[in-house]
Amino acid sequence: MTLIHAENVNLALPEGARRLHLYGELRQTRNGKALAVRGPFITVFENPKDRVLFSAERDCNPFFHLMESLWMLAGRHDVAFPSIFNSNIAQYSDDGIRFSGAYGYRWRKWFDIDQIDAAILRLATDHETRRVVVQMYDARNDIKIEEHGGLDIPCNLAITFQVWRTEDSPPKLDMTVFNRSNDLIWGAYGANVVHMTMLQQLIAEAIDVEVGEY
């Protein structure tokens, strides 16, 4: 198991890359050969709101990540809107019109329930609950997509939330994201950290607590 504690994504990236090169093994993936670390690779961000990665090598587009996050929070899955900010994103859609694995659509519409609203209601009425789960992976659908060679299957599987409090600090909302597989630079520390922490901040503000760890 690999565990990294970092204040923010900018401090996590060099340490994550160091661990990957130190412990990673070269493996074949659907996108070619890549270094992979065996077992869970866990990163704890202590200040999730410090979410923009400033790396010349990664060269993130913060405007695209911001607009994509808002697109997710709106529960959309159309290709057209995010393509305004990143024309390459359309290649990950199976039909060029929509993304079946779009996180926001799965948060808000896919399961015939708005999981974000449900999470806010549950956490607002019970700060002690540990049963709040927001799901992205759907075995009923995604296994079939995989069998037919589909491109768009969620890498991030589920999210759990918990309000954490201590005697000497105000309550804070911690969030844990479970992931089947992810690219350290492009996904986990590039785009996903923006998407997920904006969701965390939205829910934290809705239930009137501070943002905790991610």
Side-chain angles (χ1 to χ4, degrees), residues 6-136:
E7 172 71 15
N8 56 42
V9 66
N10 291 286
L11 296 176
L13 179 59
E15 180 60 19
R18 187 185 74 83
R19 302 280 190 97
L20 190 61
H21 282 281
L22 189 61
Y23 302 114
E25 299 177 5
L26 198 61
R27 298 177 64 86
Q28 185 65 41
T29 75
R30 60 189 173 89
N31 291 318
K33 291 184 177 180
L35 285 174
V37 174
R38 184 178 184 181
F41 194 110
I42 303 169
T43 307
V44 179
F45 296 102
E46 297 166 1
N47 183 13
K49 291 195 292 184
D50 193 356
R51 60 176 64 93
V52 177
L53 178 62
F54 297 100
S55 166
E57 290 82 5
R58 172 59 172 85
D59 193 23
C60 287
N61 181 343
F63 303 103
F64 167 57
H65 291 160
L66 170 63
M67 301 311 292
E68 188 181 23
S69 298
L70 296 176
W71 172 79
M72 290 180 181
L73 293 175
R76 294 174 61 170
H77 65 164
D78 58 287
V79 171
F81 181 77
S83 293
I84 296 172
F85 308 95
N86 182 350
S87 59
N88 293 325
I89 196 171
Q91 66 181 302
Y92 299 104
S93 166
D94 288 311
D95 61 9
I97 300 171
R98 64 185 61 85
F99 297 102
S100 65
Y103 297 142
Y105 189 78
R106 296 206 173 195
W107 294 340
R108 312 214 78 149
K109 298 175 181 177
W110 179 271
F111 295 98
D112 298 322
I113 182 176
D114 189 326
Q115 297 186 85
I116 295 178
D117 280 354
I120 291 171
L121 178 62
R122 190 74 181 96
L123 289 163
T125 55
D126 182 6
H127 278 188
E128 303 303 325
T129 184
R130 298 183 302 279
R131 294 180 174 180
V132 176
V133 180
V134 172
Q135 188 79 15
M136 284 89 87

Side-chain angles (χ1 to χ4, degrees), residues 4 12-13 16-18 20 41 43 182-190:
I4 296 172
L13 179 59
R18 187 185 74 83
L20 190 61
F41 194 110
T43 307
N182 207 344
D183 179 275
L184 184 75
I185 297 173
W186 295 102
Y189 290 1

